[in-house]
Amino acid sequence: MIPMPRSYHGHGALRGLVLWVLSQSPANGAEIISTIEKMWWGLWRPSPGAVYPLLSSMAEEGVISRGPDGRYELTERGRRELEESYWVPQRKPMSVDVAIEELDGYVRYLEEVRGSGSLAGRGKRIAEIAERLRRLSEDA
């Protein structure tokens, strides 16, 4: 999940989230809502009543544009706004130590959900990742 600004239920935060989502790829309103919900792990889903008026106003401002397929994309002005925002999501950890701490957190999470059936069918992928980590540990 990406870092959130201090007041994450205001339109400023929603605007930032929309900008970030559109920086990844063009999307329509429903896709934007779904992506934000996934970013929040289902804990928060912006309402269409907030998203669609925001998309309209952002398009009027020239921050985003709507293509013939109904998908929105950032304009150059939108890219600048995202770059100048104070909470641009990090694309990678700030250091190796932070990355290791994040890995530890994910492993703890997976350990906690192990009995819930959430890992069903994912054993092979987990084993592949574990093997890669084992090789890294040998080089450390």
Side-chain angles (χ1 to χ4, degrees), residues 104-123:
D104 182 57
Y106 282 113
V107 170
R108 288 178 191 205
Y109 167 76
L110 292 171
E111 288 170 341
E112 287 181 3
V113 301
R114 177 179 18 208
S116 69
S118 299
L119 301 181
R122 294 178 173 92

Side-chain angles (χ1 to χ4, degrees), residues 46 73 80 90 96 102 119 130 139:
E73 60 185 334
R80 281 194 312 273
Q90 297 175 0
V96 170
E102 287 181 12
L119 301 181
D139 294 340

Side-chain angles (χ1 to χ4, degrees), residues 21-106:
V21 168
L22 294 178
S23 74
Q24 305 304 296
S25 67
N28 63 36
E31 291 167 333
I32 292 168
I33 291 169
S34 176
T35 300
I36 292 172
E37 181 180 25
K38 288 175 186 171
M39 290 165 59
W40 279 80
W41 297 45
L43 297 173
W44 177 62
R45 177 183 176 91
S47 74
V51 171
Y52 285 96
L54 178 62
L55 291 172
S56 294
S57 67
M58 290 173 73
E60 287 174 18
E61 295 169 26
V63 176
I64 61 174
S65 63
R66 186 172 183 204
D69 63 355
R71 289 198 157 122
Y72 295 89
E73 60 185 334
L74 289 182
T75 62
E76 188 56 41
R77 183 175 173 184
R79 282 190 242 319
R80 281 194 312 273
E81 182 176 322
L82 181 63
E83 289 170 5
E84 294 168 2
S85 72
Y86 72 97
W87 67 276
V88 174
Q90 297 175 0
R91 300 206 187 271
K92 60 183 176 182
M94 297 174 83
S95 70
V96 170
D97 289 332
V98 170
I100 291 170
E101 285 302 312
E102 287 181 12
L103 282 171
D104 182 57
Y106 282 113

